[in-house]
Amino acid sequence: MWKGNSPAGSQGAAMEGTGGELGGQGNWGPEDAPGLLARASLTMLPWPLPLASSALTLLFGALTSLFLWYCYRLGSQDIQALGAGSRARGIRGGPVGCSEAGGPSRRGPGDPGEGPRTEGLVSRRLRAYARRYSWAGMGRVRRAAQGGPGPGRGPGVLGIQRPGLLFLPDLPSAPFVPRDAQRHDVELLESSFPAILRDFGAVSWDFSGTTPLPRGWSPPLAPGCYQLLLYQAGRCQPSNCRRCPGAYRALRGLRSFMSANTFGNAGFSVLLPGARLEGRCGPTNARVRCHLGLKIPPGCELVVGGEPQCWAEGHCLLVDDSFLHTVAHNGSPEDGPRVVFIVDLWHPNVAGAERQALDFVFAPDP
C-alpha cells in the first residue's frame, strides 16, 4: 500500500482515498497498478462540447467551400470543352437522307462519324455530362461511348445491323418494331393523317427535275428522291413548319420525338417511280423511324434486315433503320410518287436517363 509523504504526518492519505493526487510524490509497487489505471481514466475527460462543436462547424464549412470551388472549376472546363466539341465533325446524326436512314450513303471506316476520333469526342462529352449530373443509369451509354462491342465488331455477326455512329448495347433489336411499342405517338400521327396530307398538297410540286427546286425542298441526294424537312438534325426549320401547320402540330404532340438531338429528323420523303435506294444503315440503333404512309402506289417496297414490308396509306410503320435496308419504287410513271411522312422517335427501350444523356452529348449546334 502506497502512503504519500504529506505535511500532515505519517498518517498521509491512502491511494484508495478519493482525495489522492496521481501527481503527488510517494512510493508504490506493482500491486498498486490497477488503482493507478483507474485514477488515470478519471482524469482523461473529453473536450468541452462547445469547443468540439466549433471545430466540426469549421471543418464542414471548409469542405463545403472546397467542393463548391471544385464544381465551379469543372463547370468552366466543361463549357469550354463542349464549345469546341460542338464544332467538331463526325458528331452529327445527319439529315433524314434519301436513304431514309439519316444519311445519303453508307459510310466507310475512314469517314467522319466513325473510329477513335468520334468515340473520343463522344466520351469526353459524356464525361462532361456525368460531372455535371451523374453516372447513374449510364452503363450502356458509357460502353457505347467507349466503343464497346457492337454489330460487326465481334465474331459470328451477320452484319445486317451496322449503325454508323452510335451502337447502344443490350437494346432489343428487330428490323420492324411493334406498333404498341410507341402506341401514343403512332395513334397521334395516324389521327393527323388528313392534316398532314393537306400540308403535303400545299408544298408539293411536279418533281420533274426540269424546274427550279421549290423553296424548302432539299436538293436530291439520289436520283428520284426528294425531301422537305420540318426538323433537320434536331433543329426546327421555321419556314417549313409555318407552311405545314398540321404536321408541325402533330410533331409537337409526340412524346418520344427526338426533337433536341442530332439524330432527330422529321419531314416528307418522296420517291419517284423507278427510283431505288440500295442497302445502307442508319447512324444509331437508339432511334426508331416512324413512316406514315401518305401516297403509296403499287410496286413500292421496303426491305429491312432481309424482311420485306410495304407501307399503307394512313398507317404507321416502325423501322429500326440501323439494320441494312433497301427502298424501291417499281411502279410505272403513271402511278405517281411514293410519299411518306418520316419522324425519328426514341427506341422504346432507351431509358429516360439515357435519353437525357444522349441529348446532351448529341445536342444540335446552337
Side-chain angles (χ1 to χ4, degrees), residues 9 43 53 58 60 130 161 249 275 292 305 314:
T43 61
S53 177
L58 291 175
F60 179 76
Q161 186 185 22
R249 191 179 306 111
L292 174 64

Side-chain angles (χ1 to χ4, degrees), residues 58-260:
L58 291 175
L59 179 61
F60 179 76
L63 292 176
T64 302
S65 301
L66 181 62
F67 175 75
L68 293 176
W69 172 82
Y70 179 70
C71 292
Y72 171 78
R73 183 182 178 186
L74 286 179
S76 302
Q77 293 175 348
D78 293 345
I79 291 174
Q80 296 175 358
L82 291 177
S86 65
R87 295 186 293 271
R89 296 183 62 192
I91 197 81
R92 300 174 178 83
V96 74
C98 284
S99 69
E100 308 201 13
S105 62
R106 198 185 321 174
R107 294 187 182 98
D111 292 340
E114 290 191 18
R117 286 185 58 191
T118 299
E119 291 172 357
L121 179 58
V122 172
S123 296
R124 289 196 298 273
R125 299 189 74 171
L126 183 60
R127 286 196 297 270
Y129 171 85
R131 293 190 194 104
R132 184 170 297 183
Y133 300 102
S134 171
W135 280 113
M138 293 295 103
R140 291 192 301 191
V141 178
R142 193 171 188 177
R143 280 185 286 159
Q146 293 172 348
R153 298 183 182 179
V157 177
L158 296 178
I160 60 173
Q161 186 185 22
R162 299 195 301 270
L165 183 58
L166 179 78
F167 174 74
L168 199 61
D170 301 330
L171 275 183
S173 296
F176 295 96
V177 179
R179 291 164 46 91
D180 289 344
Q182 297 288 7
R183 176 184 294 271
H184 173 272
D185 290 353
V186 165
E187 292 179 349
L188 177 59
L189 287 171
E190 291 180 347
S191 65
S192 303
F193 167 73
I196 297 176
L197 185 60
R198 283 195 302 270
D199 287 344
F200 175 75
V203 298
S204 181
W205 55 297
D206 60 5
F207 302 106
S208 62
T210 59
T211 59
L213 200 65
R215 178 171 60 93
W217 287 88
S218 303
L221 299 179
C225 178
Y226 297 90
Q227 53 190 341
L228 184 142
L229 301 176
L230 278 66
Y231 277 80
Q232 182 174 11
R235 300 185 66 180
C236 178
Q237 307 299 306
S239 61
N240 290 344
C241 289
R242 285 193 294 268
R243 299 170 64 195
C244 304
Y248 178 70
R249 191 179 306 111
L251 291 176
R252 298 293 293 175
L254 300 178
R255 293 178 178 174
S256 55
F257 175 38
M258 302 178 78
S259 59

Side-chain angles (χ1 to χ4, degrees), residues 242-287:
R242 285 193 294 268
R243 299 170 64 195
C244 304
Y248 178 70
R249 191 179 306 111
L251 291 176
R252 298 293 293 175
L254 300 178
R255 293 178 178 174
S256 55
F257 175 38
M258 302 178 78
S259 59
N261 193 298
T262 55
F263 293 137
N265 308 275
F268 299 99
S269 174
V270 176
L271 195 66
L272 300 183
R276 181 178 182 85
L277 305 171
E278 295 297 337
R280 57 201 66 202
C281 298
T284 180
N285 66 329
R287 76 181 184 188

